[in-house]
Structures are given as C-alpha cells and as structure tokens.
Amino acid sequence: MNKLIYIFIFLFALSGFSQDTIQVRSPKIITKLGYGKTLNKEGISVKFVKVISDSRCPKGVNCIWAGEAEVLIDVFKNGVKREQRIIKVSSSYLSNASLVTVLDDSELHVMNLAPYPEYDIKIKPEEYYLQLVTKLVE
C-alpha cells in the first residue's frame, strides 16, 4: 500500500512539470496572386497589374548582380482605388518582403515573384504570380 501511495505522489509531482508554456510562432501562410488577378482581404483589394521588369539572374547563368523584378499593383479600399505602387522583388527568395498595405491588425507583404527566370526560357506575362504573406502587427 505504501508503494502505491509513493507512486501516486511521484506521478502527481511529475505532472506539475509538464505545464511549461512554449511560445510558438504561427506559420506564414503564403497566398498566390496571379497576373491580372485581385486579392480581397478585410475590405482591402490588391490587384497584380503587370510586371514592369524582371532582371533577376536566370538559373543556369553566372551573374555579377543578382538583379530584381519590379511589379505594378493597385490597392483598393472598399472598392475605391487608393494607390498604385511599384514593388521591387529581390532575387534572394523570401529575404526582403515589400510592404503592400496595412490591414486592421496585420500587414500584407510581397514575398516573391514566381516563376523564377531560367536561361533561354521566355516567361509569358500570364504565367507570373506574386506570393503574398500576412503578418500580424506586434
């Protein structure tokens, strides 16, 4: 009987240590926005108008400069066009996210322009898409 009591006390004491809290970052959810398409979120709409330039160093080529791409987007609030922006996207994937707009409690960022250029392959405008992510404002 004494052994049973000691086992219960031991298990009870161990259960107190399992209550530690660990902060976990929420995953980034990336949304694809196709060429000419519009994303609607919390009363804000973002339209991918066009790719102005894409000078990113193609796969299979050695370049001195990594290059960048420039895209034109329109930002609407409640259906009214608020601004037109040129966003620069760097070659290093997910390195520098460009802020597009601030929503109620979060920000919308352009993370990447895809597909990435390849040597001797022409990308049609309708094949492009932006990768967007929403980050909570801290």
Side-chain angles (χ1 to χ4, degrees), residues 49-64:
V49 179
K50 71 177 183 175
V51 177
I52 297 170
S53 67
D54 189 358
S55 66
R56 298 175 293 172
C57 183
K59 292 178 188 175
V61 175
N62 289 326
C63 300
I64 295 172

Side-chain angles (χ1 to χ4, degrees), residues 7-130:
I7 290 172
F8 280 123
I9 291 172
F10 180 72
L11 291 174
F12 182 74
L14 283 179
S15 68
F17 292 111
S18 67
Q19 302 301 318
D20 293 338
T21 57
I22 298 173
Q23 284 189 341
V24 178
R25 289 186 180 197
S26 59
K28 292 180 181 178
I29 299 174
I30 296 178
T31 306
K32 289 171 70 172
L33 178 60
Y35 187 86
K37 305 288 185 202
T38 302
L39 172 69
N40 299 307
K41 191 168 184 119
E42 300 177 23
I44 303 285
S45 300
V46 177
K47 182 177 182 181
F48 181 6
V49 179
K50 71 177 183 175
V51 177
I52 297 170
S53 67
D54 189 358
S55 66
R56 298 175 293 172
C57 183
K59 292 178 188 175
V61 175
N62 289 326
C63 300
I64 295 172
W65 184 58
E68 65 185 12
E70 289 185 331
V71 297
L72 183 66
I73 60 166
D74 288 338
V75 180
F76 298 85
K77 182 161 183 162
N78 298 324
V80 178
K81 186 174 176 181
R82 294 292 180 158
E83 63 181 307
Q84 193 169 55
R85 277 191 151 166
I86 295 174
I87 302 289
K88 292 184 181 189
V89 182
S90 70
S91 288
S92 53
Y93 183 70
L94 301 180
S95 65
N96 299 323
S98 299
L99 177 66
V100 174
T101 188
V102 177
L103 308 172
D104 289 338
D105 60 347
S106 58
E107 299 173 341
L108 188 64
H109 293 261
V110 171
M111 298 299 285
N112 191 33
L113 175 67
Y116 196 85
E118 293 184 43
Y119 178 72
D120 257 358
I121 297 176
K122 177 93 168 124
I123 301 173
K124 297 176 186 168
E126 60 273 6
E127 293 175 328
Y128 280 107
Y129 60 91
L130 291 172

